[in-house]
Every structure is written in structure tokens, then in C-alpha cells.
């Protein structure tokens, strides 16, 4: 599990936006990029080329779950 301290220190490498922890993923709070980064063995994979771009509906659902909208 990613610690709160690490989560506070990390940001989206593309937009520098804050991230939210959503299960086994870190999701950018930036609405234009909507990037989701996977976590493997408690290590965030913060490579833009390996990130998934979420559709607006999925991204909005995640942001609503984390009170970020």
C-alpha cells in the first residue's frame, strides 16, 4: 500500500496534477489528461507511455468517489 506521505509527494509526470489512490491505480486529477498509472508490488509505474487515458465518464466517477470534483 502506498503511504500518505508518498502520495502527497507524487504528482502526474505529464501535468504535475495531484493524484488520487484508487485501488491499484493512481489517477491524475487533471481533467484534460485523465491519466491512470498502475501500481505493481507497491511501486507506482509513473511512465506516461504506460499510463492509461480514462474516458471522461470513468474519470468523473473516480473523482466523485474521492470528492475531487
Amino acid at each position: 500500500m502506498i503511504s500518505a506521505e508518498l502520495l502527497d509527494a507524487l504528482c502526474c509526470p505529464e501535468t504535475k496534477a495531484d493524484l488520487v489512490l484508487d485501488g491499484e491505480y493512481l489517477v491524475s486529477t487533471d481533467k484534460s489528461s485523465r491519466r491512470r498509472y498502475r501500481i505493481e508490488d507497491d511501486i507506482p509505474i509513473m511512465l506516461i507511455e504506460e499510463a492509461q487515458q480514462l474516458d471522461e465518464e470513468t474519470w468523473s466517477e473516480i473523482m466523485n468517489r474521492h470528492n475531487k470534483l
Side-chain angles (χ1 to χ4, degrees):
M1 178 60 81
I2 292 186
S3 70
E5 294 83 19
L6 179 57
L7 185 57
D8 286 343
L10 291 174
C11 67
C12 176
E14 181 179 16
T15 65
K16 309 304 182 223
D18 290 338
L19 299 166
V20 296
L21 180 60
D22 190 61
E24 292 296 315
Y25 296 95
L26 292 171
V27 181
S28 174
T29 58
D30 182 70
K31 186 176 184 174
S32 62
S33 68
R34 302 182 311 276
R35 296 277 184 204
R36 178 165 73 176
Y37 302 92
R38 73 183 186 283
I39 301 169
E40 291 183 2
D41 299 321
D42 293 332
I43 300 170
I45 310 301
M46 303 299 294
L47 302 171
I48 297 168
E49 58 272 5
E50 292 192 24
Q52 178 183 14
Q53 186 170 30
L54 299 172
D55 60 71
E56 286 188 42
E57 182 178 342
T58 302
W59 180 85
S60 292
E61 289 171 4
I62 293 169
M63 293 300 113
N64 279 329
R65 252 195 323 267
H66 295 280
N67 299 314
K68 294 294 182 180
L69 280 182

Short mmCIF file of all heavy atoms in Angstrom, two decimals:
data_model
loop_
_atom_site.label_atom_id
_atom_site.label_comp_id
_atom_site.label_asym_id
_atom_site.label_seq_id
_atom_site.Cartn_x
_atom_site.Cartn_y
_atom_site.Cartn_z
N MET A 1 0.85 -1.19 0.00
CA MET A 1 0.00 0.00 0.00
C MET A 1 0.89 1.24 0.00
O MET A 1 1.88 1.29 0.69
CB MET A 1 -0.91 -0.03 1.23
CG MET A 1 -1.82 1.18 1.35
SD MET A 1 -2.95 1.44 -0.02
CE MET A 1 -4.25 0.32 0.39
N ILE A 2 0.50 2.22 -0.76
CA ILE A 2 1.25 3.47 -0.84
C ILE A 2 0.92 4.33 0.38
O ILE A 2 -0.24 4.50 0.73
CB ILE A 2 0.90 4.22 -2.13
CG1 ILE A 2 1.45 3.44 -3.32
CG2 ILE A 2 1.45 5.63 -2.12
CD1 ILE A 2 1.31 4.10 -4.62
N SER A 3 1.96 4.85 1.01
CA SER A 3 1.76 5.68 2.20
C SER A 3 1.21 7.05 1.82
O SER A 3 1.37 7.51 0.68
CB SER A 3 3.09 5.86 2.95
OG SER A 3 3.96 6.68 2.20
N ALA A 4 0.58 7.70 2.77
CA ALA A 4 0.03 9.04 2.55
C ALA A 4 1.15 10.02 2.22
O ALA A 4 0.98 10.92 1.39
CB ALA A 4 -0.74 9.50 3.78
N GLU A 5 2.32 9.84 2.84
CA GLU A 5 3.46 10.72 2.58
C GLU A 5 3.93 10.61 1.13
O GLU A 5 4.21 11.60 0.48
CB GLU A 5 4.62 10.42 3.53
CG GLU A 5 4.33 10.73 4.97
CD GLU A 5 3.58 9.61 5.69
OE1 GLU A 5 3.57 8.45 5.21
OE2 GLU A 5 2.97 9.90 6.73
N LEU A 6 4.00 9.37 0.63
CA LEU A 6 4.41 9.17 -0.76
C LEU A 6 3.36 9.73 -1.70
O LEU A 6 3.69 10.41 -2.68
CB LEU A 6 4.65 7.69 -1.04
CG LEU A 6 5.07 7.35 -2.48
CD1 LEU A 6 6.33 8.09 -2.89
CD2 LEU A 6 5.25 5.85 -2.64
N LEU A 7 2.10 9.49 -1.41
CA LEU A 7 1.03 10.01 -2.26
C LEU A 7 1.08 11.54 -2.32
O LEU A 7 0.90 12.13 -3.38
CB LEU A 7 -0.33 9.54 -1.75
CG LEU A 7 -1.53 9.91 -2.61
CD1 LEU A 7 -1.39 9.40 -4.03
CD2 LEU A 7 -2.81 9.38 -1.99
N ASP A 8 1.36 12.18 -1.19
CA ASP A 8 1.46 13.64 -1.17
C ASP A 8 2.64 14.15 -1.99
O ASP A 8 2.59 15.24 -2.55
CB ASP A 8 1.59 14.15 0.27
CG ASP A 8 0.29 14.07 1.04
OD1 ASP A 8 -0.78 13.93 0.41
OD2 ASP A 8 0.35 14.12 2.28
N ALA A 9 3.70 13.35 -2.08
CA ALA A 9 4.91 13.77 -2.80
C ALA A 9 4.80 13.53 -4.31
O ALA A 9 5.46 14.21 -5.09
CB ALA A 9 6.12 13.03 -2.26
N LEU A 10 3.97 12.58 -4.71
CA LEU A 10 3.85 12.24 -6.13
C LEU A 10 2.90 13.19 -6.85
O LEU A 10 1.95 13.71 -6.26
CB LEU A 10 3.33 10.81 -6.29
CG LEU A 10 4.27 9.70 -5.87
CD1 LEU A 10 3.54 8.36 -5.97
CD2 LEU A 10 5.52 9.68 -6.73
N CYS A 11 3.14 13.36 -8.13
CA CYS A 11 2.22 14.11 -8.99
C CYS A 11 2.27 13.48 -10.37
O CYS A 11 3.14 12.68 -10.69
CB CYS A 11 2.59 15.59 -9.05
SG CYS A 11 4.15 15.95 -9.86
N CYS A 12 1.32 13.84 -11.19
CA CYS A 12 1.27 13.34 -12.56
C CYS A 12 2.52 13.85 -13.30
O CYS A 12 2.77 15.05 -13.32
CB CYS A 12 0.00 13.84 -13.24
SG CYS A 12 -0.10 13.38 -14.99
N PRO A 13 3.30 12.95 -13.89
CA PRO A 13 4.51 13.40 -14.58
C PRO A 13 4.23 14.23 -15.84
O PRO A 13 5.07 14.99 -16.28
CB PRO A 13 5.23 12.10 -14.93
CG PRO A 13 4.18 11.05 -14.90
CD PRO A 13 3.16 11.51 -13.91
N GLU A 14 3.02 14.11 -16.37
CA GLU A 14 2.67 14.86 -17.57
C GLU A 14 2.19 16.27 -17.24
O GLU A 14 2.64 17.24 -17.85
CB GLU A 14 1.58 14.11 -18.35
CG GLU A 14 1.16 14.81 -19.62
CD GLU A 14 0.11 14.04 -20.39
OE1 GLU A 14 -0.53 13.12 -19.83
OE2 GLU A 14 -0.07 14.36 -21.57
N THR A 15 1.29 16.39 -16.27
CA THR A 15 0.66 17.68 -16.00
C THR A 15 1.01 18.28 -14.64
O THR A 15 0.64 19.41 -14.36
CB THR A 15 -0.88 17.53 -16.04
OG1 THR A 15 -1.28 16.68 -14.97
CG2 THR A 15 -1.34 16.98 -17.38
N LYS A 16 1.67 17.49 -13.79
CA LYS A 16 2.02 17.90 -12.42
C LYS A 16 0.80 18.03 -11.52
O LYS A 16 0.85 18.60 -10.45
CB LYS A 16 2.84 19.20 -12.38
CG LYS A 16 4.05 19.20 -13.29
CD LYS A 16 4.98 18.05 -13.01
CE LYS A 16 6.20 18.12 -13.92
NZ LYS A 16 6.60 16.88 -14.48
N ALA A 17 -0.33 17.47 -11.94
CA ALA A 17 -1.56 17.50 -11.15
C ALA A 17 -1.46 16.51 -9.98
O ALA A 17 -0.67 15.56 -10.02
CB ALA A 17 -2.76 17.13 -12.02
N ASP A 18 -2.27 16.74 -8.95
CA ASP A 18 -2.36 15.82 -7.83
C ASP A 18 -2.87 14.47 -8.32
O ASP A 18 -3.52 14.37 -9.37
CB ASP A 18 -3.30 16.35 -6.76
CG ASP A 18 -2.74 17.56 -6.03
OD1 ASP A 18 -1.50 17.74 -6.02
OD2 ASP A 18 -3.54 18.33 -5.47
N LEU A 19 -2.62 13.44 -7.52
CA LEU A 19 -3.07 12.09 -7.82
C LEU A 19 -3.97 11.59 -6.69
O LEU A 19 -3.80 12.01 -5.54
CB LEU A 19 -1.87 11.14 -7.94
CG LEU A 19 -0.86 11.46 -9.03
CD1 LEU A 19 0.41 10.66 -8.82
CD2 LEU A 19 -1.44 11.20 -10.40
N VAL A 20 -4.90 10.71 -7.03
CA VAL A 20 -5.69 10.03 -6.01
C VAL A 20 -5.42 8.54 -6.13
O VAL A 20 -5.21 8.01 -7.22
CB VAL A 20 -7.20 10.32 -6.13
CG1 VAL A 20 -7.50 11.78 -5.88
CG2 VAL A 20 -7.77 9.88 -7.46
N LEU A 21 -5.40 7.88 -4.99
CA LEU A 21 -5.22 6.44 -4.94
C LEU A 21 -6.58 5.78 -5.11
O LEU A 21 -7.49 6.01 -4.32
CB LEU A 21 -4.58 6.04 -3.61
CG LEU A 21 -4.33 4.55 -3.39
CD1 LEU A 21 -3.37 4.01 -4.45
CD2 LEU A 21 -3.78 4.32 -2.00
N ASP A 22 -6.73 4.99 -6.17
CA ASP A 22 -7.99 4.32 -6.47
C ASP A 22 -7.69 2.84 -6.71
O ASP A 22 -7.32 2.45 -7.82
CB ASP A 22 -8.65 4.96 -7.69
CG ASP A 22 -10.06 4.46 -7.91
OD1 ASP A 22 -10.91 4.68 -7.02
OD2 ASP A 22 -10.31 3.86 -8.97
N GLY A 23 -7.78 2.04 -5.65
CA GLY A 23 -7.45 0.63 -5.75
C GLY A 23 -5.98 0.44 -6.04
O GLY A 23 -5.13 0.93 -5.30
N GLU A 24 -5.66 -0.23 -7.12
CA GLU A 24 -4.28 -0.49 -7.52
C GLU A 24 -3.78 0.52 -8.56
O GLU A 24 -2.88 0.21 -9.34
CB GLU A 24 -4.15 -1.91 -8.07
CG GLU A 24 -4.35 -2.98 -7.02
CD GLU A 24 -3.27 -2.93 -5.94
OE1 GLU A 24 -2.08 -2.80 -6.26
OE2 GLU A 24 -3.64 -3.02 -4.74
N TYR A 25 -4.37 1.71 -8.55
CA TYR A 25 -4.01 2.75 -9.52
C TYR A 25 -3.88 4.10 -8.84
O TYR A 25 -4.53 4.37 -7.85
CB TYR A 25 -5.08 2.85 -10.61
CG TYR A 25 -5.21 1.62 -11.45
CD1 TYR A 25 -6.16 0.64 -11.14
CD2 TYR A 25 -4.39 1.41 -12.55
CE1 TYR A 25 -6.27 -0.51 -11.91
CE2 TYR A 25 -4.50 0.27 -13.32
CZ TYR A 25 -5.45 -0.68 -12.99
OH TYR A 25 -5.55 -1.82 -13.75
N LEU A 26 -3.07 4.95 -9.45
CA LEU A 26 -3.03 6.37 -9.11
C LEU A 26 -3.66 7.10 -10.29
O LEU A 26 -3.30 6.85 -11.45
CB LEU A 26 -1.59 6.85 -8.91
CG LEU A 26 -0.88 6.29 -7.69
CD1 LEU A 26 0.60 6.66 -7.73
CD2 LEU A 26 -1.52 6.80 -6.41
N VAL A 27 -4.60 7.97 -10.00
CA VAL A 27 -5.34 8.66 -11.06
C VAL A 27 -5.08 10.16 -10.94
O VAL A 27 -5.23 10.74 -9.86
CB VAL A 27 -6.85 8.37 -10.97
CG1 VAL A 27 -7.60 9.08 -12.09
CG2 VAL A 27 -7.11 6.87 -11.02
N SER A 28 -4.71 10.77 -12.06
CA SER A 28 -4.48 12.21 -12.10
C SER A 28 -5.79 12.97 -11.94
O SER A 28 -6.81 12.58 -12.50
CB SER A 28 -3.83 12.58 -13.44
OG SER A 28 -3.72 13.98 -13.56
N THR A 29 -5.74 14.06 -11.20
CA THR A 29 -6.92 14.90 -11.02
C THR A 29 -7.09 15.87 -12.18
O THR A 29 -8.06 16.64 -12.20
CB THR A 29 -6.85 15.68 -9.69
OG1 THR A 29 -5.67 16.48 -9.69
CG2 THR A 29 -6.85 14.73 -8.50
N ASP A 30 -6.19 15.83 -13.16
CA ASP A 30 -6.28 16.73 -14.31
C ASP A 30 -7.33 16.22 -15.30
O ASP A 30 -7.19 15.13 -15.86
CB ASP A 30 -4.91 16.82 -15.00
CG ASP A 30 -4.95 17.76 -16.18
OD1 ASP A 30 -5.05 18.98 -15.96
OD2 ASP A 30 -4.88 17.27 -17.33
N LYS A 31 -8.36 17.04 -15.51
CA LYS A 31 -9.48 16.63 -16.36
C LYS A 31 -9.09 16.48 -17.83
O LYS A 31 -9.66 15.65 -18.54
CB LYS A 31 -10.62 17.64 -16.24
CG LYS A 31 -11.87 17.22 -16.96
CD LYS A 31 -13.01 18.18 -16.74
CE LYS A 31 -14.27 17.67 -17.42
NZ LYS A 31 -15.42 18.49 -17.12
N SER A 32 -8.13 17.23 -18.30
CA SER A 32 -7.78 17.15 -19.72
C SER A 32 -6.97 15.90 -20.05
O SER A 32 -7.14 15.32 -21.12
CB SER A 32 -7.03 18.40 -20.17
OG SER A 32 -5.81 18.53 -19.48
N SER A 33 -6.11 15.45 -19.15
CA SER A 33 -5.30 14.26 -19.44
C SER A 33 -5.95 12.96 -18.97
O SER A 33 -5.84 11.94 -19.64
CB SER A 33 -3.91 14.38 -18.83
OG SER A 33 -3.98 14.33 -17.43
N ARG A 34 -6.59 12.98 -17.78
CA ARG A 34 -7.30 11.82 -17.22
C ARG A 34 -6.42 10.57 -17.19
O ARG A 34 -6.86 9.47 -17.49
CB ARG A 34 -8.60 11.55 -17.97
CG ARG A 34 -9.55 12.70 -17.99
CD ARG A 34 -10.86 12.37 -18.70
NE ARG A 34 -10.72 11.76 -20.00
CZ ARG A 34 -10.53 12.43 -21.13
NH1 ARG A 34 -10.45 13.74 -21.13
NH2 ARG A 34 -10.43 11.79 -22.29
N ARG A 35 -5.16 10.71 -16.79
CA ARG A 35 -4.22 9.59 -16.77
C ARG A 35 -4.42 8.69 -15.55
O ARG A 35 -4.69 9.17 -14.45
CB ARG A 35 -2.78 10.09 -16.76
CG ARG A 35 -2.38 10.85 -17.99
CD ARG A 35 -2.00 9.91 -19.08
NE ARG A 35 -1.53 10.68 -20.23
CZ ARG A 35 -1.55 10.24 -21.45
NH1 ARG A 35 -2.00 9.02 -21.70
NH2 ARG A 35 -1.14 10.97 -22.44
N ARG A 36 -4.23 7.39 -15.76
CA ARG A 36 -4.26 6.41 -14.67
C ARG A 36 -2.97 5.60 -14.74
O ARG A 36 -2.64 5.03 -15.77
CB ARG A 36 -5.48 5.50 -14.80
CG ARG A 36 -5.53 4.45 -13.72
CD ARG A 36 -6.87 3.79 -13.61
NE ARG A 36 -7.12 2.88 -14.72
CZ ARG A 36 -8.21 2.13 -14.81
NH1 ARG A 36 -9.14 2.18 -13.88
NH2 ARG A 36 -8.37 1.34 -15.85
N TYR A 37 -2.26 5.58 -13.62
CA TYR A 37 -0.97 4.89 -13.51
C TYR A 37 -1.15 3.66 -12.61
O TYR A 37 -1.69 3.77 -11.52
CB TYR A 37 0.08 5.83 -12.90
CG TYR A 37 0.27 7.08 -13.71
CD1 TYR A 37 -0.46 8.23 -13.42
CD2 TYR A 37 1.15 7.12 -14.78
CE1 TYR A 37 -0.31 9.39 -14.17
CE2 TYR A 37 1.31 8.27 -15.54
CZ TYR A 37 0.57 9.41 -15.23
OH TYR A 37 0.72 10.55 -15.98
N ARG A 38 -0.66 2.53 -13.06
CA ARG A 38 -0.82 1.31 -12.27
C ARG A 38 0.24 1.23 -11.17
O ARG A 38 1.28 1.89 -11.22
CB ARG A 38 -0.77 0.08 -13.16
CG ARG A 38 0.57 -0.27 -13.70
CD ARG A 38 0.47 -1.48 -14.65
NE ARG A 38 1.78 -1.91 -15.07
CZ ARG A 38 2.52 -1.30 -15.98
NH1 ARG A 38 2.07 -0.24 -16.60
NH2 ARG A 38 3.72 -1.76 -16.30
N ILE A 39 -0.07 0.42 -10.18
CA ILE A 39 0.86 0.15 -9.08
C ILE A 39 1.16 -1.34 -9.11
O ILE A 39 0.24 -2.16 -9.11
CB ILE A 39 0.23 0.55 -7.73
CG1 ILE A 39 -0.14 2.03 -7.72
CG2 ILE A 39 1.17 0.21 -6.58
CD1 ILE A 39 -1.00 2.45 -6.55
N GLU A 40 2.44 -1.68 -9.15
CA GLU A 40 2.86 -3.08 -9.16
C GLU A 40 3.77 -3.33 -7.96
O GLU A 40 4.78 -2.64 -7.81
CB GLU A 40 3.62 -3.42 -10.45
CG GLU A 40 2.75 -3.42 -11.68
CD GLU A 40 3.51 -3.82 -12.92
OE1 GLU A 40 4.71 -4.16 -12.83
OE2 GLU A 40 2.90 -3.79 -14.00
N ASP A 41 3.42 -4.30 -7.13
CA ASP A 41 4.21 -4.63 -5.94
C ASP A 41 4.50 -3.40 -5.10
O ASP A 41 5.63 -3.17 -4.67
CB ASP A 41 5.53 -5.33 -6.34
CG ASP A 41 5.28 -6.63 -7.09
OD1 ASP A 41 4.35 -7.36 -6.71
OD2 ASP A 41 6.01 -6.91 -8.05
N ASP A 42 3.47 -2.57 -4.91
CA ASP A 42 3.55 -1.33 -4.12
C ASP A 42 4.46 -0.26 -4.74
O ASP A 42 4.85 0.68 -4.07
CB ASP A 42 4.00 -1.62 -2.68
CG ASP A 42 2.98 -2.41 -1.92
OD1 ASP A 42 1.77 -2.29 -2.24
OD2 ASP A 42 3.36 -3.14 -0.99
N ILE A 43 4.77 -0.40 -6.03
CA ILE A 43 5.60 0.58 -6.72
C ILE A 43 4.77 1.23 -7.82
O ILE A 43 4.31 0.54 -8.73
CB ILE A 43 6.86 -0.07 -7.34
CG1 ILE A 43 7.71 -0.70 -6.23
CG2 ILE A 43 7.67 0.95 -8.13
CD1 ILE A 43 8.82 -1.57 -6.73
N PRO A 44 4.57 2.56 -7.75
CA PRO A 44 3.82 3.23 -8.82
C PRO A 44 4.64 3.27 -10.11
O PRO A 44 5.83 3.59 -10.09
CB PRO A 44 3.61 4.65 -8.29
CG PRO A 44 4.17 4.69 -6.91
CD PRO A 44 4.95 3.45 -6.68
N ILE A 45 4.01 2.91 -11.20
CA ILE A 45 4.65 2.96 -12.53
C ILE A 45 4.23 4.29 -13.15
O ILE A 45 3.16 4.42 -13.72
CB ILE A 45 4.21 1.76 -13.40
CG1 ILE A 45 4.38 0.44 -12.66
CG2 ILE A 45 4.96 1.79 -14.73
CD1 ILE A 45 5.79 0.14 -12.18
N MET A 46 5.11 5.28 -13.04
CA MET A 46 4.77 6.66 -13.40
C MET A 46 5.29 7.04 -14.79
O MET A 46 5.70 8.17 -15.01
CB MET A 46 5.31 7.62 -12.34
CG MET A 46 4.82 7.34 -10.93
SD MET A 46 3.03 7.46 -10.76
CE MET A 46 2.78 9.19 -11.05
N LEU A 47 5.24 6.11 -15.71
CA LEU A 47 5.67 6.37 -17.08
C LEU A 47 4.46 6.78 -17.91
O LEU A 47 3.48 6.04 -17.99
CB LEU A 47 6.32 5.13 -17.68
CG LEU A 47 7.54 4.60 -16.92
CD1 LEU A 47 7.96 3.25 -17.49
CD2 LEU A 47 8.68 5.60 -17.01
N ILE A 48 4.55 7.94 -18.54
CA ILE A 48 3.43 8.45 -19.32
C ILE A 48 3.03 7.47 -20.42
O ILE A 48 1.84 7.22 -20.63
CB ILE A 48 3.76 9.84 -19.91
CG1 ILE A 48 3.97 10.84 -18.78
CG2 ILE A 48 2.67 10.31 -20.87
CD1 ILE A 48 4.58 12.15 -19.23
N GLU A 49 4.03 6.88 -21.08
CA GLU A 49 3.73 5.98 -22.19
C GLU A 49 3.07 4.68 -21.73
O GLU A 49 2.49 3.96 -22.53
CB GLU A 49 4.98 5.69 -23.02
CG GLU A 49 6.14 5.10 -22.27
CD GLU A 49 7.06 6.12 -21.63
OE1 GLU A 49 6.79 7.33 -21.67
OE2 GLU A 49 8.06 5.69 -21.06
N GLU A 50 3.14 4.36 -20.45
CA GLU A 50 2.48 3.16 -19.93
C GLU A 50 1.17 3.47 -19.20
O GLU A 50 0.47 2.57 -18.75
CB GLU A 50 3.43 2.39 -19.01
CG GLU A 50 4.58 1.78 -19.78
CD GLU A 50 5.36 0.78 -18.97
OE1 GLU A 50 4.80 0.20 -18.02
OE2 GLU A 50 6.53 0.57 -19.30
N ALA A 51 0.86 4.75 -19.08
CA ALA A 51 -0.38 5.15 -18.40
C ALA A 51 -1.57 4.94 -19.33
O ALA A 51 -1.44 4.92 -20.55
CB ALA A 51 -0.31 6.62 -17.99
N GLN A 52 -2.72 4.78 -18.70
CA GLN A 52 -3.96 4.65 -19.45
C GLN A 52 -4.69 5.99 -19.40
O GLN A 52 -4.71 6.65 -18.36
CB GLN A 52 -4.82 3.57 -18.80
CG GLN A 52 -6.15 3.37 -19.46
CD GLN A 52 -7.00 2.33 -18.73
OE1 GLN A 52 -6.71 1.96 -17.61
NE2 GLN A 52 -8.06 1.90 -19.38
N GLN A 53 -5.26 6.40 -20.53
CA GLN A 53 -6.09 7.61 -20.52
C GLN A 53 -7.54 7.15 -20.38
O GLN A 53 -8.06 6.43 -21.22
CB GLN A 53 -5.91 8.43 -21.79
CG GLN A 53 -6.67 9.75 -21.69
CD GLN A 53 -6.33 10.70 -22.82
OE1 GLN A 53 -6.01 10.27 -23.91
NE2 GLN A 53 -6.41 11.97 -22.54
N LEU A 54 -8.16 7.60 -19.29
CA LEU A 54 -9.54 7.21 -19.00
C LEU A 54 -10.53 8.03 -19.81
O LEU A 54 -10.26 9.19 -20.13
CB LEU A 54 -9.83 7.42 -17.51
CG LEU A 54 -8.97 6.61 -16.54
CD1 LEU A 54 -9.23 7.06 -15.11
CD2 LEU A 54 -9.25 5.12 -16.69
N ASP A 55 -11.68 7.43 -20.09
CA ASP A 55 -12.74 8.22 -20.71
C ASP A 55 -13.31 9.16 -19.65
O ASP A 55 -13.11 8.97 -18.44
CB ASP A 55 -13.83 7.32 -21.30
CG ASP A 55 -14.50 6.44 -20.26
OD1 ASP A 55 -15.25 6.97 -19.42
OD2 ASP A 55 -14.25 5.21 -20.28
N GLU A 56 -14.00 10.21 -20.08
CA GLU A 56 -14.47 11.24 -19.15
C GLU A 56 -15.42 10.68 -18.09
O GLU A 56 -15.36 11.09 -16.93
CB GLU A 56 -15.15 12.37 -19.92
CG GLU A 56 -14.16 13.26 -20.63
CD GLU A 56 -14.79 14.50 -21.24
OE1 GLU A 56 -15.63 15.12 -20.56
OE2 GLU A 56 -14.43 14.82 -22.38
N GLU A 57 -16.28 9.75 -18.47
CA GLU A 57 -17.24 9.21 -17.51
C GLU A 57 -16.54 8.43 -16.39
O GLU A 57 -16.83 8.62 -15.21
CB GLU A 57 -18.25 8.30 -18.23
CG GLU A 57 -19.30 7.74 -17.30
CD GLU A 57 -20.31 6.88 -18.05
OE1 GLU A 57 -20.43 6.96 -19.29
OE2 GLU A 57 -20.99 6.09 -17.35
N THR A 58 -15.61 7.57 -16.76
CA THR A 58 -14.87 6.79 -15.77
C THR A 58 -14.06 7.70 -14.87
O THR A 58 -14.05 7.54 -13.64
CB THR A 58 -13.95 5.76 -16.46
OG1 THR A 58 -14.75 4.92 -17.30
CG2 THR A 58 -13.19 4.93 -15.44
N TRP A 59 -13.36 8.67 -15.46
CA TRP A 59 -12.56 9.62 -14.68
C TRP A 59 -13.46 10.39 -13.70
O TRP A 59 -13.10 10.53 -12.52
CB TRP A 59 -11.82 10.57 -15.61
CG TRP A 59 -10.99 11.56 -14.89
CD1 TRP A 59 -9.71 11.39 -14.44
CD2 TRP A 59 -11.37 12.89 -14.51
NE1 TRP A 59 -9.27 12.54 -13.80
CE2 TRP A 59 -10.28 13.47 -13.83
CE3 TRP A 59 -12.53 13.64 -14.68
CZ2 TRP A 59 -10.31 14.76 -13.33
CZ3 TRP A 59 -12.57 14.93 -14.17
CH2 TRP A 59 -11.46 15.48 -13.51
N SER A 60 -14.62 10.85 -14.16
CA SER A 60 -15.54 11.60 -13.29
C SER A 60 -16.04 10.74 -12.13
O SER A 60 -16.15 11.23 -11.00
CB SER A 60 -16.73 12.12 -14.09
OG SER A 60 -16.32 13.12 -14.99
N GLU A 61 -16.34 9.47 -12.39
CA GLU A 61 -16.77 8.57 -11.33
C GLU A 61 -15.69 8.43 -10.26
O GLU A 61 -15.98 8.46 -9.05
CB GLU A 61 -17.12 7.20 -11.90
CG GLU A 61 -18.39 7.17 -12.71
CD GLU A 61 -18.59 5.85 -13.43
OE1 GLU A 61 -17.78 4.90 -13.26
OE2 GLU A 61 -19.57 5.77 -14.19
N ILE A 62 -14.44 8.30 -10.68
CA ILE A 62 -13.33 8.17 -9.73
C ILE A 62 -13.17 9.46 -8.94
O ILE A 62 -13.01 9.43 -7.71
CB ILE A 62 -12.03 7.80 -10.46
CG1 ILE A 62 -12.14 6.38 -11.04
CG2 ILE A 62 -10.82 7.91 -9.52
CD1 ILE A 62 -11.04 6.01 -12.01
N MET A 63 -13.22 10.60 -9.61
CA MET A 63 -13.07 11.88 -8.91
C MET A 63 -14.21 12.10 -7.92
O MET A 63 -13.99 12.60 -6.81
CB MET A 63 -12.99 13.04 -9.90
CG MET A 63 -11.73 13.04 -10.76
SD MET A 63 -10.20 13.13 -9.83
CE MET A 63 -9.48 11.52 -10.17
N ASN A 64 -15.42 11.72 -8.29
CA ASN A 64 -16.57 11.82 -7.37
C ASN A 64 -16.37 10.95 -6.14
O ASN A 64 -16.66 11.36 -5.02
CB ASN A 64 -17.88 11.45 -8.07
CG ASN A 64 -18.43 12.59 -8.89
OD1 ASN A 64 -18.26 13.75 -8.57
ND2 ASN A 64 -19.11 12.24 -9.98
N ARG A 65 -15.87 9.73 -6.35
CA ARG A 65 -15.61 8.82 -5.23
C ARG A 65 -14.63 9.40 -4.22
O ARG A 65 -14.70 9.13 -3.04
CB ARG A 65 -15.03 7.50 -5.75
CG ARG A 65 -15.95 6.36 -5.70
CD ARG A 65 -15.30 5.00 -5.87
NE ARG A 65 -14.21 4.86 -6.79
CZ ARG A 65 -14.33 4.49 -8.07
NH1 ARG A 65 -15.52 4.26 -8.58
NH2 ARG A 65 -13.26 4.34 -8.83
N HIS A 66 -13.70 10.22 -4.73
CA HIS A 66 -12.65 10.80 -3.88
C HIS A 66 -12.89 12.28 -3.57
O HIS A 66 -11.98 12.96 -3.11
CB HIS A 66 -11.29 10.61 -4.56
CG HIS A 66 -10.92 9.16 -4.68
ND1 HIS A 66 -10.39 8.43 -3.64
CD2 HIS A 66 -11.04 8.29 -5.72
CE1 HIS A 66 -10.17 7.19 -4.03
NE2 HIS A 66 -10.57 7.09 -5.28
N ASN A 67 -14.12 12.73 -3.84
CA ASN A 67 -14.50 14.13 -3.55
C ASN A 67 -13.55 15.14 -4.18
O ASN A 67 -13.16 16.12 -3.54
CB ASN A 67 -14.60 14.36 -2.04
CG ASN A 67 -15.64 13.48 -1.41
OD1 ASN A 67 -16.76 13.36 -1.92
ND2 ASN A 67 -15.28 12.85 -0.31
N LYS A 68 -13.20 14.92 -5.43
CA LYS A 68 -12.27 15.81 -6.13
C LYS A 68 -12.93 16.64 -7.22
O LYS A 68 -12.27 17.35 -7.93
CB LYS A 68 -11.12 15.00 -6.74
CG LYS A 68 -10.23 14.35 -5.71
CD LYS A 68 -9.51 15.37 -4.90
CE LYS A 68 -8.57 14.73 -3.90
NZ LYS A 68 -7.86 15.72 -3.10
N LEU A 69 -14.25 16.55 -7.36
CA LEU A 69 -14.94 17.38 -8.36
C LEU A 69 -15.65 18.52 -7.70
O LEU A 69 -16.05 18.52 -6.60
CB LEU A 69 -15.94 16.54 -9.16
CG LEU A 69 -15.36 15.71 -10.27
CD1 LEU A 69 -16.46 14.98 -11.02
CD2 LEU A 69 -14.54 16.51 -11.25
#
